[in-house]
Amino acid sequence: MDVLTFKGGIHPRDEKVWTQDKVIREMSLPGKVVIPLRQHIGAPCELCVAKGDEVKTGQVIGKSPGYVCANVHATISGKVIEIGQMPHPVLGSCLAITIESDNENKWVELESHRDWERFPKEKLRGIIKEAGIVGLGGAGFPTHVKLSPPEDKPIDTIILNGAECEPYLTADQRIMIERAKDITVGLKIIMKVLEAKKALIAIEINKPSVLSLMAKATKEEKNIKVIPLQTKYPQGGEKQLIKAVLSREVPSGGLPLDVGVVVQNAATTLAIMEAVILGKPLIDRIVTVTGLAIKEPQNLRVRIGTLFQNVIDACGGFDKEPGKIIMGGPMMGLSQKNTEVPVIKTTSGILVLPKKETRISSHRDCIRCGRCIEVCPMRLMPNMLSILVERGRFNEAKDYHLLDCIECGCCGYVCPSNRSLVHFIKLGKFKISKK
């Protein structure tokens, strides 16, 4: 079988050895959770509870006021002790609900749907919406919206993104190893909602056990096929996956649905299965806690709203003096000021690097070597984009397709001048959005 890939990209050390063989462990209930009302792309949720209210696990505490939004639920049972602006790992701060645990984990009544195959697609989509599911790979786009393409853009293929190309992270890898059959059911639910004819499960070849187990779980499914991919970063990018697997190119400014494709992350697919079959809303997720500053790297099932410090403590705490704390992986993750921020729906990992391994390097002028152009998976000119933004020439940067950048960080990784290329590009996007 051919091993597929895309043009460009890089080969950083994957550093997955620390957690790839660690069975997912359920973290004990936290004493409190801080649940932001915005954990997704789109409008923030509307508050459904008041200070002093008693809530149960799975209860809606933030209701979606519009289409592009996602409900948030209580992730433990207990008492609402505070509502106000709290630290947020992406936004800096956000209106959030703090719940103090009663240590009983009392759930709301859940409605299972084991006969889901008889349901119309609208009902399945409604269940997914009510469960508050968003893309768990990092973007956080509300899943019910992604599963509602316009009628004039039919979807013929679903790609399950099992690449997990970001260094250090192994949460999806462990999910596919431990829950292969459940993921297959989730994929079949997605296929029914979108009336797609086929599904492709794309997995990098550095995960042979995942390839084998997913192939075994889908061997009776005629319309589902496992596709091996070369190990390369950012192989898991939507546009790179579609190009590699189907040889289709998403147009500039377009979306996968423009070429008849929907891409879903493995963790999101599992969450869809749990929502439909078990009636379970999105109240927890698998988080890879890793890095040389972590005493016992693990893959943990963590309740959303748990503070980073509590998660790190569950892994034995710090083994070395921390130099950098990142939500996600080293390439596209977000640095954090401290560990007093909550796990949110898009927290795929908590990476802590020791102080000795981190440094701040001043960048120099571009030497026009062209390395960033060679590795750019979007075939852009990151050198020109950074220079134009640095000089405040934002409209010209836009003409160089600034908005097509996926911010993967390949350019900065290979830059011999240590230029903060992604920083400049993000700044340019921000400035253009304000015009």
Side-chain angles (χ1 to χ4, degrees), residues 6 8-12 164-167 204 230-236 240 330-333 375 377 406-410:
F6 61 98
I10 57 176
H11 296 86
E164 197 170 36
C165 59
E166 182 83 34
E204 288 186 326
Q230 282 189 27
T231 302
K232 190 198 295 189
Y233 177 87
Q235 186 73 79
Q240 286 66 49
M331 298 300 297
M332 296 186 73
V375 301
I406 61 172
E407 302 172 16
C408 65
C410 289

Side-chain angles (χ1 to χ4, degrees), residues 245-261:
V245 172
L246 295 171
S247 294
R248 300 180 192 176
E249 191 160 325
V250 178
S252 176
L255 296 169
L257 60 85
D258 294 321
V259 292
V261 181

Side-chain angles (χ1 to χ4, degrees), residues 24-28 30 75 283-289 299-307 311 343 350:
I24 295 169
R25 181 167 65 86
E26 181 140 5
M27 182 180 164
S28 58
T75 60
I283 58 103
D284 57 23
R285 67 155 298 142
I286 311 304
V287 179
T288 300
V289 190
N299 286 299
L300 297 179
R301 180 177 291 277
V302 180
R303 297 293 174 104
I304 290 164
T306 305
L307 297 182
V311 180
V343 168
I350 298 173

Side-chain angles (χ1 to χ4, degrees), residues 224-294:
I224 301 177
K225 184 179 180 182
V226 175
I227 305 293
L229 303 170
Q230 282 189 27
T231 302
K232 190 198 295 189
Y233 177 87
Q235 186 73 79
E238 281 192 338
K239 294 178 180 179
Q240 286 66 49
L241 266 184
I242 293 167
K243 181 67 175 178
V245 172
L246 295 171
S247 294
R248 300 180 192 176
E249 191 160 325
V250 178
S252 176
L255 296 169
L257 60 85
D258 294 321
V259 292
V261 181
V262 163
V263 180
Q264 283 290 6
N265 165 268
T268 311
T269 303
L270 178 61
I272 289 170
M273 171 269 165
E274 291 182 336
V276 173
I277 306 297
L278 307 178
K280 177 187 170 186
L282 184 57
I283 58 103
D284 57 23
R285 67 155 298 142
I286 311 304
V287 179
T288 300
V289 190
T290 187
L292 289 176
I294 296 291

Side-chain angles (χ1 to χ4, degrees), residues 170-184:
T170 60
D172 283 356
Q173 182 174 349
R174 291 309 312 178
I175 288 169
M176 290 185 286
I177 288 172
E178 299 179 34
R179 306 285 297 275
K181 290 185 177 180
D182 290 337
I183 289 173
T184 301

